[in-house]
Structure formats: structure tokens, C-alpha cells
Amino acid sequence: MNINKSIAFFQEAQKLFPGGVNSPVRAFRAVGGQPLFIERGEGAYLFDVDGNRFIDYVLSWGSLITGHAHPTVIEAIQQAATKGTSYGAPSPLEIDLAKSIMDFLPNIEMIRFVNSGTEATMSALRLARAYTKRDKIIKFDGCYHGHADMLLVQAGSGVATLGLPDSPGVPATVAADTLVANFNDLDSVEALFKKYPGQIAGIIVEPVAGNMGVVPPQTGFLEGLRKLTTEYGAVLIFDEVMTGFRVHRGGAQTLYNIKPDLTTLGKVIGGGLPVGAYGGKKEIMQMVAPLGPMYQAGTLSGNPLAMSAGIAALSLIREEECWRKLEQAAAKLEAGVLSAAQHAGVPIQQTRVGTMFTTFFSETKPTDWNTVKVANKIRFGKFFQKMLENGVYLAPSQFEAGFISTMHTDDVIEKTIGAGTEVFRTW
Ligand code: KE4
């Protein structure tokens, strides 16, 4: 595959950006080779600067559930842009997107828009601390909630990919208030509540872990978190930046029928433009300035372009039929890749919830970070590169999720299974 132009761009980019990229996981550090520079996206496909076409399963890390450059989304952005790009003042578009989100996620009674998932989780944790007047928070080993200081403790995604134990630059005093439990292990959570009585403001959890690769919650885990947080007076935050509009039409909170106190969102709600949000119980959200004393702000929050893109994207995934088709496509892909690996005698674990999935090169069923970190990263890198050669663009890390879109039609899924079959046939 000719990637000469990407090579030239990467050489130039490395002089300008740390590692040549503007987000670490894009650097292909865990899978070898170098990142491809992208010319354009269209539907289920990415086209790089050398003219290579790939079926895209990254989809801007889950953001593009309607695929690249969907005409309805592009039209909405173009129309909005003719009226200006930012007002720094309220607009009806914020109301429209908020109401649309609440139609999908009725547990959200009040919401605040920000510009990224990191801003959403950072703000939700500040709010939990303000509401409970407590300082400590619980997160889970291998889960990633963005790059705010207090969350870069035993985190997943790029932190795990690059083998960074945590991150320098996070003061020990900040990290000390972040307690880490094991995903799918309620005893590890209860032990922290017993050890720090009256000090824990909240739990933040990816209700389906996606940032250590996809690891579903075991039966009773999320219910147990709900019970413990209620019992100990702590705030339960579902970080649905990834799972929202991905694992179910109503997110993980609908799929598992759990009512979190706060929910954080991002990715899909911006339709590919920068939007994050946090919301939930009105009693808690009323603490947010200017209504309450907890301060959080943003120059471009509620930006009309981003609101318009989000409104358009969500309008395309409202119908139950859309979700039935997404489930059918994702299930077919999962079965096809598993069958190809089994025929080749290559041990893999396929995990999937709704439209997010991971292929682990491991003989151990993934249930938490400890069972995920033993996966064979060398084999994953080989799989990634061979799939790329066969026209399929996967997330460049074993500790990430793959995603499908409404544009991943049956022939696209068939082509992907064909690529996987070829890769394993010549393994
Ligand atoms: P952003 O700040 O990247 O918009 O969102 C942070 C975030 C928060 N919560 C969850 C569950 C997330 O998955 C993320 C971001 N996800 C990563 C991919 N695993 C973004 C990709 C990247 O870092 O480049």
C-alpha cells in the first residue's frame, strides 16, 4: 500500500506537534507503522491522502453514528454557518438539542452543554463534590474519562495504550482524592466506602467499559453501584460519552435500567463537532452557576454550528428500526470475525454491546483491567496492520473500542468479514 504522502506529512507534523499528532492514541504507537493522514470521509469510508480507501471502524472514536459527511448533517452545518458561527449568547438551537437528548435519555432532567467529554466529566465531578461537600471520588482501573487531572489515575484509552502508569504533572494531592476500584468487583467498591466513611463524593463509571477495550458489566454490578451510592450518600455518575447513543437508543442507563444521578455525554451528540454535556437530577444540577454556586463556563458552549450538527445527527437515529438494523449489522460482524478466527485456530475474545466492540487476542474472558491487560498486544498489532492492508481501519490499540454506523450496510459488513477471513487465513 502506497502511503508516501502520509509519510511526508508525518515527518512535517512531528516538527510541529508532540508525536506528530493532536491526540496520543492517533499515533499508532501501539500497533507499529505510522498514522495515515486523512483526505476525507464519506459514509462508512475514510480516504487517506494517498488515495487509499478504508472501511472505518473508528468513526472519530464513536462520534459518527451516521457515518462521515452525512448529507443531512452537512446541510444543517452549512445552513447554520450562514447565520454566523458563534453568538456567545443563548440560542433556540440549544433548547432543541437538549430536548432531543432528553427524549433519548429521560433520566436527564436538566443539562449543561460544554465542548468535550473531558469538560463534561470534570464538571460532573466538581458538581458531585459541591453537592455532597466531600472530596474523594471513585473511578475504575482501566476506565478513561478524559484527561482532567483527577481522572488520570490508572486510566484506560491512550494512557493504557502508551503504558503510562498515570501521568506526570498530576499533583499527588489531587491523585490522593481519586480512589481506584476494580471494574465488575463490588467488594472493591464497598471496601473504599468503609475505609473512607463520609468522604466519598461520587463514583464515575463507564457503564460498559470501552476504554480498556469493550468490557460489559456483569449481572448485578451496576445495580450494586446504584445501591452503594444511595446507601452511602454518594453521587452515581454514568460516563456515557462513549456508551450514549451507542449501546442502546437510550444509552446504558436504559439498557440496564439503572437511574444514575448524573450522566456525561459527548461524541455522538455533536454529530462530529465538539460537544459535551453533563446533566441529570434537577436537585443536583441546580447547584450549577449562575443558578447555584458551582462554577463552570465555556466560550463556545452551546455553539450554534455544533448544536445544529447534533440536532441533525440525533434526528437520523430516532426510530427503533434504525437501532434494529444497527444491532443486526454489529451482531453479523461479531459472528463473522469470531468464525474466521476460530477456523484459523487463533484464540480471540470478541466483546460487544450494541454498536461498540473489541477483538481481544487473548484466551482469557475480559471482565476487568487485570484480565484485559494480559491480551497479546503484538498479535493485536499484527491484526491491525493486516486488516489495514485489506482496507479496514480499526482503532490503533487493543485498549479501544470499534464502532459501526448507519452507513455500515450489509455489503460493507460482508467486505469486512471477507477481510478478516483473508487475514486469519494467512495468519
Ligand atoms: P473527549 O475529551 O476526548 O471529548 O472525551 C473524553 C472521554 C470521556 N469519557 C469517555 C468514556 C471517553 O471514551 C472519552 C474519550 N474517548 C477517547 C477514545 N477512547 C477519545 C479519543 C482520544 O483520546 O483521542
Side-chain angles (χ1 to χ4, degrees):
M1 181 165 64
N2 168 23
I3 64 163
N4 293 335
K5 289 181 181 174
S6 277
I7 290 169
F9 279 122
F10 193 46
Q11 284 169 348
E12 190 176 0
Q14 288 177 90
K15 297 172 195 157
L16 301 168
F17 314 119
V21 292
N22 282 298
S23 197
V25 74
R26 302 178 188 173
F28 280 27
R29 286 280 173 110
V31 294
Q34 68 145 71
L36 301 177
F37 280 64
I38 303 305
E39 176 76 25
R40 67 186 178 93
E42 184 183 328
Y45 295 96
L46 273 179
F47 298 82
D48 73 9
V49 293
D50 291 286
N52 300 304
R53 187 186 79 163
F54 304 95
I55 298 172
D56 182 14
Y57 286 97
V58 178
L59 293 168
S60 185
W61 302 95
S63 311
L64 303 175
I65 194 158
T66 58
H68 290 278
H70 191 289
T72 304
V73 175
I74 299 304
E75 168 72 17
I77 295 170
Q78 287 172 329
Q79 282 303 314
T82 61
K83 300 174 186 172
T85 55
S86 180
Y87 309 135
S91 87
L93 294 166
E94 296 159 270
I95 296 169
D96 292 347
L97 184 56
K99 285 184 172 177
S100 178
I101 290 169
M102 291 170 176
D103 171 65
F104 286 88
L105 296 162
N107 290 329
I108 295 179
E109 299 168 354
M110 188 173 270
I111 194 168
R112 168 62 61 87
F113 286 122
V114 292
N115 300 284
S116 70
T118 294
E119 271 193 86
T121 58
M122 177 175 73
S123 307
L125 285 165
R126 182 184 305 142
L127 177 56
R129 286 167 156 162
Y131 180 71
T132 61
K133 297 183 176 54
R134 301 174 183 176
D135 291 340
K136 293 193 184 305
I137 61 168
I138 294 176
K139 75 175 288 293
F140 292 89
D141 197 1
C143 285
Y144 177 77
H145 305 283
H147 64 86
D149 274 359
M150 70 280 212
L151 288 165
L152 286 181
V153 178
Q154 294 175 249
S157 184
V159 189
T161 298
L162 298 175
L164 301 170
D166 296 309
S167 170
V170 176
T173 50
V174 169
D177 278 334
T178 300
L179 308 174
V180 181
N182 294 327
F183 192 74
N184 277 324
D185 176 357
L186 288 170
D187 291 344
S188 70
V189 179
E190 183 153 32
L192 291 171
F193 275 112
K194 287 181 172 165
K195 185 174 181 184
Y196 299 98
Q199 299 176 53
I200 295 171
I203 293 179
I204 186 165
V205 65
E206 291 181 64
V208 174
N211 285 292
M212 54 175 116
V214 174
V215 177
Q218 288 176 335
T219 304
F221 177 61
L222 298 176
E223 292 82 353
L225 295 183
R226 179 65 283 174
K227 183 170 174 292
L228 284 167
T229 44
T230 302
E231 190 180 327
Y232 286 92
V235 174
L236 178 58
I237 303 169
F238 268 19
D239 177 0
E240 297 224 44
V241 167
M242 186 186 289
T243 56
F245 311 91
R246 276 281 165 202
V247 298
H248 184 282
R249 184 187 184 281
Q253 55 197 265
T254 303
L255 178 61
Y256 297 106
N257 192 26
I258 302 285
K259 186 170 182 174
D261 300 308
L262 295 176
T263 299
T264 54
L265 298 170
K267 297 182 193 278
V268 167
I269 64 169
L273 269 63
V275 180
Y278 63 101
K281 281 184 178 164
K282 197 169 183 177
E283 177 199 344
I284 301 176
M285 288 301 292
Q286 284 175 336
M287 290 212 64
V288 179
L291 185 57
M294 189 221 93
Y295 197 73
Q296 175 272 311
T299 302
L300 296 174
S301 298
N303 173 278
L305 291 195
M307 295 293 106
S308 300
I311 292 162
L314 295 194
S315 74
L316 294 166
I317 58 168
R318 296 178 65 84
E319 303 308 322
E320 289 299 340
E321 176 59 13
C322 165
W323 291 92
R324 193 192 59 73
K325 285 182 183 167
L326 283 167
E327 175 60 26
Q328 195 176 26
K332 180 171 182 175
L333 178 65
E334 175 186 28
V337 172
L338 184 59
S339 166
Q342 285 172 338
H343 273 94
V346 179
I348 65 169
Q349 303 288 326
Q350 280 283 83
T351 57
R352 177 180 73 85
V353 183
T355 67
M356 52 192 265
F357 60 88
T358 297
T359 301
F360 288 102
F361 283 77
S362 173
E363 298 187 48
T364 310
K365 185 175 184 305
T367 56
D368 63 4
W369 175 243
N370 292 319
T371 49
V372 157
K373 69 185 179 185
V374 299
N376 187 320
K377 294 186 282 292
I378 305 294
R379 282 192 163 192
F380 179 83
K382 178 180 172 184
F383 179 64
F384 173 86
Q385 291 293 350
K386 285 171 121 358
M387 288 297 272
L388 204 59
E389 286 159 22
N390 281 273
V392 176
Y393 190 90
L394 300 173
S397 164
Q398 175 68 93
F399 308 128
E400 291 287 358
F403 306 93
I404 66 163
S405 79
T406 55
M407 305 307 281
H408 283 67
T409 51
D410 196 52
D411 70 300
V412 170
I413 297 297
E414 287 284 354
K415 277 193 195 119
T416 309
I417 294 169
T421 304
E422 179 56 21
V423 164
F424 284 120
R425 189 183 63 77
T426 58
W427 192 256

